[in-house]
Amino acid sequence: MATLFKVFGNGLSLRTCLKQSLDIVKVPVRERHCNIPKKRHPGWLPKVQRVLCDEHLTTENKQFIREVVESKYSTPQTSSPLKLEPIEPLLEWKQGLRRTGLIAKKIGIYPMWLQNGKRVNSTLLQIVDNQVIKYIPPEQFHPVKCKNRSPKKRMASLVVGAESTDPQMFRKEYYNLFKDSGVMPKRVMMRFIISPEAALQPGTPLYATHFKPGDIIDIRGKTIDRGFQGVMKRWGFKGMPATHGVTKTHRRPGNIGSGGKLARVMPGTKLPGHMGNRWRVHRGYRILRINTKYNVIWVMGHNIPGETNSYCYLYDTLLPRRKSDTPPHFPTYLPELNKESMPEDMYADDVHPFKTPTIKFSEES
């Protein structure tokens, strides 16, 4: 028994003599900067999908329904169906006021030429049936970012819809959103944060002349969904050599540096994964040309996020050094208040119009 006590006592003494060391390494979290789209469903937007079923309507019934829809929405609204003036009285534009934006469809890329002969690429964005659906005053507008803290300046919100569609294609809950505005149901809707001075009555149409040629705008859109891609296409990696003993690792990422004490993959490591289908905001785009007949805007640049026929959102730029000093159409361009008619094509100052000659001949002296 004495020997057992001696062995047990020696073990305890050795354990106390051992120095306990714990290495703590802080790993930077990069997931907060990945810009993953939010899955939160806005509270003012009910579900759009519905199960379509064949109701076995006769040709006479289909024609009658078409006539009812055409009689109710035969002519597009040129002014608000409820009031001729906006909710708030028209005020002069001041620096710092925010007005609404537009919903545009990306329809293609086209070259333009400047006055100095330089060729630039431009993207065509068409404003399709943009109308105000709902106005949310500052007392009822509670954004998620300012939920836990009171914002310095109370802002309002304006819901804008685009692309009128058949009312029979939507559910009753979704269709009731357009009951107060008096317009046809819209396929796409977007909420813009505005100043209370820039409020508009529901049903007010928005045109491409909301902006002016030469203005600087920001564009928000969803990138093209590429699916699951490797590191060479997703992140632009160079890849492995093609020869000299390389076997089946030509497009692999290689070493990711997971050795050492941690021996694990660090958060934020560039690896294969899903590419695209993310919301991106590109700032500082310049408007080169506006067509008032078809409501088309030419924007300098060809890297606007999204594929052809996809929708993007345009609004005044938030870059402090590129904001316009000239007053825009505030709160928007209203044809009934502007006596002067707009020309069909409007160009920026440094853009060469297509109708003007490129070569000028002068008589010899």
Side-chain angles (χ1 to χ4, degrees), residues 338-361:
N338 296 286
K339 299 180 180 179
E340 298 180 359
S341 60
M342 290 286 184
E344 183 176 348
D345 290 312
M346 297 186 297
Y347 297 87
D349 297 335
D350 58 341
V351 177
H352 174 74
F354 289 100
K355 296 182 180 180
T356 58
T358 57
I359 301 175
K360 297 181 180 180
F361 297 95

Side-chain angles (χ1 to χ4, degrees), residues 113-138:
W113 280 265
L114 304 181
Q115 295 286 0
N116 56 5
K118 183 180 179 181
R119 179 182 181 272
V120 294
N121 288 331
S122 63
T123 304
L124 279 73
L125 304 174
Q126 186 176 15
I127 311 302
V128 184
D129 301 335
N130 280 21
Q131 288 178 317
V132 179
I133 305 301
K134 185 180 180 181
Y135 170 68
I136 304 175

Side-chain angles (χ1 to χ4, degrees), residues 35-37 39 222-227 274-280:
N35 233 350
I36 300 176
K39 306 298 183 183
K222 184 177 286 187
T223 57
I224 301 176
D225 191 1
R226 305 287 184 179
H274 193 94
M275 180 182 178
N277 197 25
R278 297 288 188 269
W279 288 103
R280 294 290 182 265

Side-chain angles (χ1 to χ4, degrees), residues 100-101 103 130-133 158-162 188-190 192 206:
T100 182
I103 302 176
N130 280 21
Q131 288 178 317
V132 179
I133 305 301
L158 207 65
V159 181
V160 180
V188 183
M189 286 198 298
M190 173 63 180
F192 294 96
L206 303 175

Side-chain angles (χ1 to χ4, degrees), residues 1-17:
M1 292 293 293
T3 57
L4 288 176
F5 281 115
K6 288 181 180 180
V7 173
F8 185 70
N10 294 335
L12 292 177
S13 60
L14 289 175
R15 185 180 300 177
T16 56
C17 293

Side-chain angles (χ1 to χ4, degrees), residues 33-46:
H33 307 291
C34 292
N35 233 350
I36 300 176
K38 299 178 180 178
K39 306 298 183 183
R40 179 177 55 85
H41 190 73
W44 51 268
L45 182 62

